[in-house]
């Protein structure tokens, strides 16, 4: 059995470490809830829908983040009337899906889809939203943009009404259920107001295609490889034993609700109720997993704004209702972005805030908060603790703690997640989390990836050994660029991103990149960039997808960058069959005689867009497809600054052979670090910081490198004249001098380059091997 995204009291309690008490009094759970907004959500989903897993993930996230404040009904569709596609489809659900009796404009646009309290969602013009938009940050995890964090904003709105479900009875023999739904209005209201009782079931599962959940986000799915950091990446493309949650079983009052109970005009404080008696639906698998959802809503068949769900309460059919304590605790670092001392411990002050008084308190009581570090947020070799482990925070006040982060020598960019849980025995309490961002102090090379994405394997495995220790992978966001100076890096790697202008990530998960490229080139630094469709964004105005971003990509600054490179855009090619949706592989051939693509012949598995271009004489061809005039990669050298750029118009992870991808990336970086332009030897420019003896040499030569004032973290490595790293050189430090030896006995006679990578850049000396 796969226990995926299962919501239950036990799951919610996993993150709630109740070990002390909260000083002050509490109202009853029902009264406490009345103080806070609740949001009712309807998800439209299907087992056949491989995109729908992002809705399940978002809903699970919401239930853990806002316990007691979010109520969800998941309505299944069998897709085109074929029951074998989804065994949880019911006629009442089809009525809602098709929009019968509801505004015709709100018929679903596709799956997954969602209605937010049956009203127009913030930032939208329609009811219809992707369910991932409900939770904060979920859409980005799945590589999509659009509206984000809708529920968080709605929970801050005033309460309009409070619903309760009580007097529940259930006869297991007759399967008869009785429950009373009541509503108390917090403010005056008017119109066609209705009560209803929805029946849902959790942990619904079965065997076969109508139960197994399709997952396009798996490593072998149609979308997963382009978003390798998504939460479903390591799951199967069709997940057997998936437990479907919040499954819609019946609307006891009909899909349009029960009219005539509430008058057309009500005053603040007025209460209305009705009792529903019904037989539990026969498709229910286990009454112990059934929930009853009482709701009050407006109704209009013609006015899209006249169907809002004002409030809903969810309670179990069997057993006591869980007690929720709605707190307002937050935790955050005093400084969001910090530098972590390599091979040392860095202290980050944390602030714990109790934003508003708890229900029933006088505003002076304190809350005890348990603090911990989420170990899953730390990469290998890193550790973190927080002290003290508990903090007392006054209502409306703040408390402090210290996050102690210990970093290894290996450079990294880390997000350390701190958990803060109000301590309230017997209550379900949401755990707040805050993230501190740290970059290792010895970082000299930055690999930038789309926010929410991950680095391609080749951009890590293909790094020269001398760089790996000092390379960090970090998301390319505006905050990262503002807080960590990329111009200090002699080499930056932009890993499969579009090139954007101005201050917009456009939902693409990438901050503006053209400025950082231009800055690096002007300083004589080195840039590696690969991207499936960077040129398409800049030049293909005929494509509907690209044209929506034209204001940020088809700009003078972006296009002048390509002009500087000597690029001439030719066409966008779709590497899949639009009729069958099957991938269309295509060949990649390296240009003869240049150091990156020479003698490389690879295959791209397809499934992505590719942009074909030609070159002026400014750059040198590196890769093409079909014939030598259809370029997909090139090398650029700035003759005035010595800056270099490798541009590849394809993703490294898209190559069918991982070793070839590693080789292409390794060659690219070695060429950037070498003193050669594309296929042209430059005169040696030895640094006076080096001494070598003997030189020329037979056997072994001794290398000494004297660091300048303030220069640190020096590593030495040997390269051949094609710019390929042949071996890192182990060093020891004597004062400010780094000493190493180069044994050339295993290598051919000729000239070799010794490079020193340091905090100030790269320097070299040439040595002649005469065996």
């Amino acid at each position: 059995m796969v226990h995926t995204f299962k919501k239950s009291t036990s799951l919610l309690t996993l993150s709630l470490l109740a070990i002390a008490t909260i000083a002050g009094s509490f109202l009853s759970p029902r009264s406490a809830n009345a103080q806070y907004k609740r949001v009712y959500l309807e998800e439209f989903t299907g087992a056949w829908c491989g995109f729908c897993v992002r809705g399940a993930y978002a809903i699970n996230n919401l239930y853990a983040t806002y316990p007691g404040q979010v109520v969800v009904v998941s309505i299944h569709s069998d897709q085109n009337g074929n029951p074998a596609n989804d065994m949880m489809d019911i006629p009442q659900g089809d009525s809602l899906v098709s929009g019968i009796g509801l505004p015709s404009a709100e018929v679903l646009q596709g799956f997954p889809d969602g209605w937010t309290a049956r009203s127009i969602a913030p930032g939208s013009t329609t009811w219809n939203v992707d369910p991932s938009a409900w939770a904060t940050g979920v859409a980005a995890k799945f590589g999509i943009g659009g509206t984000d964090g809708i529920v968080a904003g709605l929970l801050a709105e005033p309460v309009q009404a409070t619903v309760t479900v009580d007097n529940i009875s259930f006869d297991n023999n007759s399967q008869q259920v009785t429950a009373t739904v009541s509503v108390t209005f917090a403010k005056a209201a008017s119109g066609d107001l209705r009560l209803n009782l929805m029946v849902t079931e959790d942990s619904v599962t079965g065997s076969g295609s109508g139960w197994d959940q399709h997952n396009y986000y798996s490593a072998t799915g149609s979308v997963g490889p382009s978003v390798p950091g998504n939460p479903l990446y390591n799951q199967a493309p069709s997940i057997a034993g998936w437990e479907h949650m919040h499954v819609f079983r019946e609307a006891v009052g009909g899909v349009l609700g029960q009219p005539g109970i509430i008058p057309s005009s009500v005053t603040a404080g007025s209460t209305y109720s009705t009792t529903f008696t019904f037989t539990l639906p026969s498709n229910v698998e286990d009454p112990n997993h059934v929930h009853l959802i009482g709701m009050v809503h407006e109704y209009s068949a013609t006015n899209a704004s006249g169907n809002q769900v004002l409030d809903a309460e969810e309670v179990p059919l069997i057993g006591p209702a869980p007690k929720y304590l709605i707190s307002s605790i937050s935790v955050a670092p005093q400084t969001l972005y910090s530098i972590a001392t390599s091979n040392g411990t860095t202290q980050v002050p944390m602030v714990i805030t109790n934003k508003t008084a708890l229900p029933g308190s006088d505003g002076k009581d304190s809350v005890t908060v348990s603090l911990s570090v989420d170990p899953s947020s730390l990469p290998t070799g890193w550790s973190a603790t927080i002290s003290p482990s508990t903090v007392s925070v006054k209502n409306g006040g703040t408390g402090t703690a210290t996050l102690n982060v210990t970093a290894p020598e290996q450079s990294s960019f880390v997000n350390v997640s701190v958990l803060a849980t109000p301590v309230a025995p017997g209550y379900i309490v949401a755990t707040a989390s805050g993230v501190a961002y740290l970059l290792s102090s010895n970082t000299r090379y930055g690999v930038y990836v789309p926010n929410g994405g991950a680095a391609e394997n080749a951009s890590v495995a293909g790094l020269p050994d001398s760089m790996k220790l000092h390379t960090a992978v970090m998301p390319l966001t505006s905050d990262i660029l503002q807080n960590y100076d990329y111009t200090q890096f002699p080499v930056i790697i932009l890993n499969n991103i579009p090139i954007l202008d101005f201050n917009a990530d456009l939902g693409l998960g990438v901050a503006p990149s053209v400025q950082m490229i231009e800055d690096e080139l002007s300083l004589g630094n080195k840039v590696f960039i690969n991207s499936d469709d960077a040129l398409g964004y800049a030049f293909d105005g005929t494509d509907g997808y690209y044209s929506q971003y034209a204001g940020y990509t088809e700009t003078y600054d972006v296009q002048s960058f390509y002009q500087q490179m000597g690029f001439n855009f030719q066409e966008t090619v779709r590497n899949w069959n639009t009729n069958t949706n099957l991938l269309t592989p295509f060949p990649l051939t390296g240009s003869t005689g240049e150091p990156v693509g020479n003698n490389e012949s690879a295959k791209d598995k397809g499934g992505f867009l590719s942009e074909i271009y030609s070159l002026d004489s400014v750059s040198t061809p590196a890769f093409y497809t079909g014939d030598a005039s259809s370029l997909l990669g090139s090398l650029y050298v700035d003759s005035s600054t010595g800056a270099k750029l490798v541009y590849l118009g394809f993703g490294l992870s898209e190559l069918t052979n991982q070793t070839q991808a590693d080789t292409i990336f390794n060659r690219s970086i070695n060429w950037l670090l070498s003193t050669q332009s594309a296929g042209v030897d430059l005169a040696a420019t030895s640094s006076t910081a080096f001494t070598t003896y003997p030189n020329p040499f037979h056997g072994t030569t001794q290398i000494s490198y004297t660091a300048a004032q303030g220069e640190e973290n020096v590593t030495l490595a040997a390269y051949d004249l094609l710019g390929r790293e042949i071996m890192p050189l182990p060093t020891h430090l004597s004062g400010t001098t780094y000493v190493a030896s180069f044994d050339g006995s295993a290598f051919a006679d000729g000239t070799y380059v010794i490079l020193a990578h340091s905090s100030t850049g790269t320097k070299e000396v040439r040595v002649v091997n005469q065996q």
Side-chain angles (χ1 to χ4, degrees):
M1 186 73 67
V2 177
H3 298 280
T4 306
F5 306 142
K6 180 177 180 180
K7 179 196 72 69
S8 65
T9 301
S10 61
L11 173 90
L12 292 170
T13 309
L14 287 177
S15 60
L16 307 174
L17 307 175
I19 56 175
T21 60
I22 295 181
S25 60
F26 300 104
L27 302 180
S28 69
R30 224 173 270 286
S31 299
N33 281 340
Q35 307 293 314
Y36 292 90
K37 180 78 171 180
R38 291 182 292 202
V39 178
Y40 174 80
L41 306 169
E42 284 165 319
E43 177 203 27
F44 298 92
T45 186
W48 52 269
C49 170
F51 291 114
C52 290
V53 289
R54 65 180 184 238
Y57 179 84
I59 292 167
N60 184 69
N61 178 295
L62 289 171
Y63 269 85
T65 305
Y66 308 110
Q69 292 186 272
V70 176
V71 178
V72 173
V73 175
S74 293
I75 301 161
H76 284 248
S77 169
D78 58 16
Q79 190 190 31
N80 302 322
N82 183 356
N85 289 326
D86 192 305
M87 302 302 293
M88 292 153 284
D89 175 280
I90 62 173
Q92 278 192 330
D94 294 338
S95 296
L96 279 173
V97 170
S98 63
I100 293 177
L102 298 172
S104 59
E106 302 313 324
V107 175
L108 304 185
Q109 304 302 307
F111 281 65
D113 210 330
W115 289 347
T116 307
R118 295 187 188 172
S119 61
I120 296 174
S124 180
T125 58
T126 176
W127 287 6
N128 299 310
V129 297
D130 191 290
S132 63
W134 289 332
T136 302
V138 169
K141 290 180 181 293
F142 290 91
I144 61 175
T147 308
D148 186 70
I150 292 173
V151 167
L154 291 177
L155 289 175
E157 294 181 352
V159 172
Q160 296 177 285
T162 299
V163 169
T164 59
V165 181
D166 53 17
N167 299 323
I168 300 169
S169 66
F170 172 60
D171 187 315
N172 192 51
N173 293 321
S174 66
Q175 297 287 288
Q176 189 173 66
V177 180
T178 300
T180 299
V181 177
S182 304
V183 58
T184 299
F185 287 90
K187 55 176 64 176
S190 61
D192 189 350
L193 300 167
R194 303 184 177 193
L195 292 177
N196 208 341
L197 184 68
M198 310 290 272
V199 181
T200 65
E201 185 178 2
D202 284 347
S203 304
V204 177
T205 188
S207 178
S209 61
W211 301 100
D212 299 346
Q213 181 62 53
H214 286 218
N215 173 26
Y216 295 156
Y217 293 95
S218 73
T220 56
S222 60
V223 182
S226 64
V227 197
N230 83 78
L232 275 298
Y233 185 75
N234 293 319
Q235 294 274 13
S238 181
I239 306 173
W242 176 276
E243 293 189 344
H244 300 271
M245 308 300 293
H246 321 288
V247 176
F248 177 48
R249 292 307 198 188
E250 183 178 2
V252 182
V255 295
L256 305 182
Q258 194 73 43
I261 300 166
I262 304 171
S264 60
S265 180
V266 299
T267 58
S270 57
T271 298
Y272 305 91
S273 64
T274 189
T275 297
F276 293 93
T277 300
F278 63 100
T279 301
L280 198 66
S282 59
N283 56 2
V284 167
E285 294 183 351
D286 187 345
N288 290 291
H289 296 159
V290 169
H291 285 221
L292 305 179
I293 297 172
M295 59 188 291
V296 59
H297 65 90
E298 303 169 337
Y299 173 73
S300 172
T302 58
N303 178 12
S305 300
N307 292 274
Q308 183 180 8
V309 177
L310 305 182
D311 190 46
E313 181 177 53
E314 180 179 15
V315 298
L317 172 65
I318 298 173
K323 296 192 299 180
Y324 299 108
L325 177 66
I326 311 301
S327 69
S328 56
I329 296 295
S330 65
V331 57
Q334 202 170 69
T335 301
L336 188 57
Y337 295 90
S338 303
I339 297 294
T341 302
S342 300
N343 271 339
T345 299
T346 302
Q347 294 186 329
V348 180
M350 303 294 295
V351 178
I352 302 90
T353 304
N354 184 9
K355 297 178 183 177
T356 58
L358 293 171
S361 73
D362 61 5
K364 298 179 181 179
D365 298 326
S366 296
V367 176
T368 298
V369 180
S370 174
L371 301 172
S372 61
V373 175
D374 179 3
S376 67
S377 66
L378 295 167
T380 302
W382 290 69
S383 62
T385 60
I386 190 164
S387 58
S389 59
T390 58
V391 175
S392 181
V393 188
K394 289 184 177 181
N395 290 324
T398 60
T400 59
T402 300
L403 175 65
N404 306 290
V405 182
T406 301
E409 187 177 5
Q410 172 61 56
S411 174
S412 293
F413 172 76
V414 300
N415 314 331
V416 184
S417 181
V418 176
L419 308 177
T421 305
V423 178
Y427 285 80
I428 295 176
V429 187
T431 293
S433 64
V435 177
Y437 300 98
L438 297 99
L439 179 66
S440 298
S441 60
N442 66 341
T443 303
R444 294 206 301 277
Y445 310 103
V447 177
Y448 294 91
V449 299
N451 190 27
E456 296 177 298
N457 288 337
S459 67
V460 177
L463 277 172
D465 290 340
S466 60
M467 290 179 62
K468 288 180 179 178
L469 189 65
H470 303 294
T471 300
V473 177
M474 63 193 90
L476 183 54
T477 66
S478 296
D479 285 346
I480 295 295
L481 298 186
Q482 291 169 8
N483 287 278
Y484 301 115
D485 184 5
Y486 57 83
T487 63
Q488 298 301 307
F489 300 149
V491 179
I492 63 169
I493 297 159
L494 304 179
N495 192 194
N496 210 2
I497 64 169
I499 296 177
L500 305 183
D501 197 4
F502 302 124
N503 297 312
D505 70 10
L506 316 174
L508 298 170
V510 180
S513 50
V514 69
Q515 187 62 59
M516 66 187 302
I517 296 171
E518 294 284 11
D519 288 345
E520 287 288 284
L521 296 180
S522 68
L523 293 170
N525 291 336
K526 324 297 181 185
V527 178
F528 172 91
I529 178 170
N530 70 310
S531 181
D532 302 303
D533 45 15
L535 275 168
Y537 283 104
F539 292 102
D540 192 354
T542 64
D543 185 277
Y545 176 77
Y546 292 141
S547 62
Q548 65 183 314
Y549 303 121
Y552 303 97
T553 59
E554 296 174 21
T555 65
Y556 170 80
D557 286 341
V558 173
Q559 294 186 352
S560 64
F561 160 73
Y562 285 110
Q563 185 177 10
Q564 178 185 348
M565 301 295 106
F567 286 20
N568 300 303
F569 172 74
Q570 292 184 339
E571 62 178 328
T572 297
V573 178
R574 283 161 176 74
N575 300 307
W576 69 89
N577 187 311
T578 55
N579 295 320
T580 64
N581 207 32
L582 296 177
L583 308 185
T584 305
F586 62 94
L588 289 169
T589 305
S591 298
T592 303
E594 63 79 40
V596 176
N598 189 41
N599 294 324
E600 282 296 328
S601 180
K603 179 179 285 188
D604 192 299
K605 63 187 177 184
F608 299 89
L609 299 172
S610 294
E611 277 69 48
I612 306 299
Y613 64 97
S614 62
L615 280 175
D616 295 335
S617 59
V618 176
S619 294
T620 302
F623 287 95
Y624 60 90
T625 183
D627 60 70
S629 65
S630 301
L631 295 181
L632 280 172
S634 52
L635 312 180
Y636 168 79
V637 178
D638 188 313
S639 58
S640 61
T641 65
K644 295 181 180 181
L645 179 141
V646 174
Y647 178 92
L648 302 180
F650 52 87
L652 294 167
S653 61
E654 296 158 20
L655 302 188
T656 57
N657 187 305
Q658 179 65 46
T659 300
Q660 286 181 316
D662 296 347
T663 299
I664 290 170
F665 182 76
N666 183 268
R667 284 186 179 184
S668 298
I669 299 303
N670 282 332
W671 175 78
L672 289 173
L673 294 173
S674 73
T675 57
Q676 293 177 294
S677 62
V680 180
D681 288 332
L682 299 178
T685 55
S686 296
S687 169
T688 56
F690 274 108
T691 59
T692 62
Y693 184 81
N695 188 17
F697 69 97
H698 175 77
T700 301
T701 184
Q702 300 299 312
I703 313 293
S704 296
Y705 179 85
T706 302
Q709 184 174 359
E711 185 178 13
E712 57 184 8
N713 299 322
V714 176
T715 59
L716 301 173
Y719 293 77
D720 63 20
L721 288 179
L722 288 178
R724 298 173 298 194
E725 182 182 277
I726 60 173
M727 64 182 299
L729 303 181
T731 66
H732 68 272
L733 179 62
S734 176
T736 60
T737 300
Y738 292 80
V739 180
S741 62
F742 173 42
D743 185 352
S745 59
F747 301 104
D749 290 357
T751 301
Y752 293 84
V753 182
I754 308 299
L755 287 182
H757 306 298
S758 75
S759 59
T760 63
T762 303
K763 299 181 181 67
E764 70 161 47
V765 67
R766 297 195 176 197
V767 294
V768 179
N769 183 24
Q770 296 178 341
Q771 295 304 321

